[in-house]
Amino acid sequence: MGVSFRPLAKKLFIKTYGCQMNVYDSARMAELLAPLGYAATEDAGDADMVILNTCHIREKASEKVFSELGRLRAGRRESGRDVIVAVAGCVAQAEGAEIIRRAPEVDIVLGPQTYHRLPELVARAARAHAAKAAQPGAARRGAGLLDTEFPAESKFDSLTVAETSPVSAFLAVQEGCDKFCTFCVVPYTRGAEFSRPVAQVVAEARALAAGGAREITLLGQNVNAYHGEAPDGSTWGLARLIRELADREPDLLRIRYTTSHPRDMDDDLIAAHREVPTLMPFLHLPVQSGSDRVLEAMNRQHGADLFRRVVARLRDARSDLVLSSDFIVGFPGETAADFAATLDLVRETGFAMAYSFKYSPRPGTPAAVLPAQVPEAEKDARLAALQDLLNMQQRDFNRATVGKVVPVLLEKPGRREGQLVGRTPYAQAVHVEAGESMLGRMVEARIEDLGRFSLKGSMESIPFAAAPTALEVRA
Ligand code: 5AD
Ligand code: SF4
């Protein structure tokens, strides 16, 4: 009788910091490690391998990573478990060998462009652990493997998606940035702009849809600068790519894209908002400031007027378009009048939500060494004022939805049994009473009330056809 071997089930814990691109990268890393026998766990204490997928965009990012490493170290000392520890993402790219110097137990440091090499690095780390285990009394140092290159080969050529996908899935189409805003680390940590070829994107979209995705968010640090190579050798912009996905993938009920730059909102992309019904009428368009002086110092390559013109043209194309944005307060040299211009732009544009941050000097970026850094107390006061205004606008926007019937895509289980969470076209979360069999379906929901972080709705009509693809979404 033969002996059958099951691959040893090992547990992988990934902690993801920062943006949606990191969420996408974490999912790909999990898939790369599945063939090595690693299955995801939500419990760091139970893991055989831990990956911290880090973010470097604002302050204290590195410190947070080192304190998390300290917590993991203490946990391991208590449990006596042998754990492979990897630091990935933008802090890994920025700090490199410094991480191994300060936290010698770390086995692997790898940047955002090299994580396709993770299986090989994990195998080497495992061998190093086995060799140490054979020498009692050996110091508990990690394998010290460092890979923060910007390699010639594209990691995307080695990536796969899992057999099952979330209802709302991310798809990275573009990475890196050539804009060099003076406050931003992205061009240094993620590298130069790169667009994935059209065929690769379409194949991934198809695989995601086959796995159950009904909404796709096309991701890129500068996603509307997408210029991918098409099968006929020509170059496609983002709008052309969106039209292709909308035409060829009927299971994709909703398409979104993020994050955009105002300078790259070209005519075709604006027209796509008019013409592609599955392109959702909600756009995240960071503007950072309403003051031309500050925008110039930020090297944003647009003024407040260009932003206003782009918004007017978008709303002309799609009158129900809803906007969100990113803002930085307290950029070096920002005066009270500059800040007032930001508040004016927020009111005038009517953002339905936005993210706002205090300026944080990032080592190696031009703005970090500018004179006239704004005092912390002033930054605090401006952030509070901006957030008050944004919160008020968000509440008003949500309140205006109450009583309306809107299409809601049911995305995941809610906290309570018998409840699902979905989203409106404007990305508002809605809790609806519905069974799990309704996951992935588009329903019409009447919005009944405002919760603290979401809306409460009730299903008005359930699609009569079996497949959610057959539902006609009421515009
Ligand atoms: N300080 C504060 N906020 C920043 N962002 C990027 N760099 C910084 C920084 N140095 C913000 C911008 C960007 C968002 C992702 O993070 O608003 O759009
Ligand atoms: Fe950073 Fe500016 Fe590039 Fe956005 S456009 S990633 S803010 S450098």
Side-chain angles (χ1 to χ4, degrees):
M1 202 176 78
V3 182
S4 68
F5 292 97
R6 264 189 309 145
L8 272 184
K10 289 171 282 186
K11 301 236 172 87
L12 170 67
F13 174 76
I14 306 185
K15 180 158 181 170
T16 307
Y17 301 79
C19 65
Q20 290 153 327
M21 188 67 93
N22 265 13
V23 175
Y24 177 86
D25 290 344
S26 290
R28 300 291 86 70
M29 286 193 266
E31 277 140 27
L32 282 163
L33 292 179
L36 273 65
Y38 284 97
T41 173
E42 303 276 298
D43 176 6
D46 192 32
D48 302 286
M49 171 157 186
V50 172
I51 302 176
L52 303 182
N53 192 11
T54 61
C55 169
H56 202 236
I57 199 98
R58 281 174 295 276
E59 69 195 319
K60 304 208 181 84
S62 317
E63 290 319 306
K64 270 193 226 156
V65 173
F66 285 113
S67 59
E68 183 66 35
L69 286 169
R71 264 195 300 279
L72 290 169
R73 195 182 304 131
R76 275 204 318 278
R77 212 175 291 131
E78 230 167 73
S79 69
R81 279 181 90 95
D82 184 33
V83 181
I84 294 179
V85 179
V87 179
C90 292
V91 173
Q93 190 65 45
E95 301 268 343
E98 177 66 11
I99 296 179
I100 294 169
R101 202 186 59 73
R102 277 185 62 182
E105 78 280 10
V106 168
D107 292 290
I108 299 166
V109 173
L110 81 168
Q113 303 310 341
T114 50
Y115 66 72
H116 55 302
R117 298 175 179 166
L118 196 54
E120 185 203 320
L121 291 167
V122 171
R124 282 171 60 194
R127 280 200 297 276
H129 279 232
K132 288 235 174 75
Q135 306 166 22
R140 274 194 153 268
R141 292 180 69 84
L145 305 170
L146 175 72
D147 193 347
T148 51
E149 271 184 54
F150 287 99
E153 85 271 8
S154 161
K155 68 180 174 211
F156 291 111
D157 296 340
S158 321
L159 303 183
T160 53
V161 298
E163 269 172 31
T164 56
S165 311
V167 172
S168 176
F170 293 132
L171 200 176
V173 301
Q174 180 279 336
E175 206 180 344
C177 183
D178 295 342
K179 292 276 191 301
F180 290 92
C181 298
T182 54
F183 53 80
C184 186
V185 288
V186 166
Y188 311 97
T189 57
R190 290 272 170 174
E193 242 177 66
F194 169 80
S195 295
R196 293 177 74 184
V198 168
Q200 211 180 59
V201 173
V202 170
E204 189 163 318
R206 183 157 303 159
L208 289 167
R214 293 292 169 265
E215 169 176 295
I216 237 165
T217 302
L218 305 176
L219 291 182
Q221 265 90 33
N222 220 318
V223 72
N224 56 342
Y226 177 83
H227 54 282
E229 193 188 335
D232 65 2
S234 65
T235 301
W236 286 11
L238 185 66
R240 183 72 188 81
L241 182 69
I242 288 171
R243 290 175 202 275
E244 179 77 3
L245 294 174
D247 289 347
R248 298 246 253 135
E249 298 303 325
D251 284 346
L252 295 179
L253 305 177
R254 290 181 167 180
I255 300 175
R256 304 179 187 274
Y257 62 93
T258 197
T259 289
S260 302
H261 192 285
R263 265 288 290 268
D264 295 317
M265 291 304 307
D266 64 22
D267 293 348
D268 198 19
L269 190 52
I270 292 173
H273 278 278
R274 187 195 312 273
E275 291 155 13
V276 180
T278 47
L279 183 57
M280 288 296 100
F282 177 79
L283 179 62
H284 183 64
L285 193 59
V287 59
Q288 315 296 354
S289 167
S291 153
D292 284 339
R293 239 173 43 82
V294 173
L295 289 168
E296 171 81 37
M298 287 176 164
N299 188 33
R300 284 289 296 176
Q301 304 174 35
H302 65 81
D305 264 353
L306 182 137
F307 184 80
R308 286 188 176 94
R309 278 201 305 278
V310 167
V311 168
R313 290 175 57 218
L314 279 161
R315 287 196 163 138
D316 186 45
R318 179 93 206 218
S319 57
D320 62 341
L321 188 87
V322 167
L323 286 155
S324 77
S325 201
D326 289 343
F327 292 92
I328 295 178
V329 300
F331 186 81
E334 184 189 70
T335 62
D338 293 321
F339 178 61
T342 298
L343 295 179
D344 285 346
L345 187 69
V346 169
R347 280 190 211 99
E348 182 192 326
T349 314
F351 295 104
M353 65 150 301
Y355 302 96
S356 46
F357 313 100
K358 286 192 285 181
Y359 169 68
S360 153
R362 310 311 296 135
T365 59
V369 291
L370 286 177
Q373 297 283 330
V374 175
E376 211 50 33
E378 190 56 44
K379 288 189 203 170
D380 285 331
R382 289 180 193 172
L383 186 67
L386 176 58
Q387 291 188 338
D388 279 350
L389 175 62
L390 289 167
N391 287 340
M392 195 179 74
Q393 290 189 185
Q394 182 163 9
R395 263 196 316 275
D396 288 351
F397 175 70
N398 285 338
R399 207 170 282 140
T401 326
V402 175
K404 292 203 171 125
V405 175
V406 291
V408 170
L409 177 62
L410 298 172
E411 294 181 9
K412 51 189 171 194
R415 226 174 284 145
R416 276 194 298 104
E417 180 101 2
Q419 193 187 50
L420 299 180
V421 190
R423 285 193 188 268
T424 71
Y426 311 112
Q428 298 151 290
V430 187
H431 279 84
V432 178
E433 300 297 315
E436 293 232 348
S437 64
M438 293 299 291
L439 274 175
R441 307 282 287 266
M442 186 87 79
V443 300
E444 299 277 308
R446 181 174 298 281
I447 305 302
E448 291 176 328
D449 205 356
L450 298 182
R452 233 164 91 73
F453 300 108
S454 66
L455 308 173
K456 286 189 198 126
S458 63
M459 261 193 283
E460 279 270 308
S461 71
I462 303 173
F464 46 84
T469 50
L471 178 70
E472 285 287 322
V473 179
R474 200 192 295 166

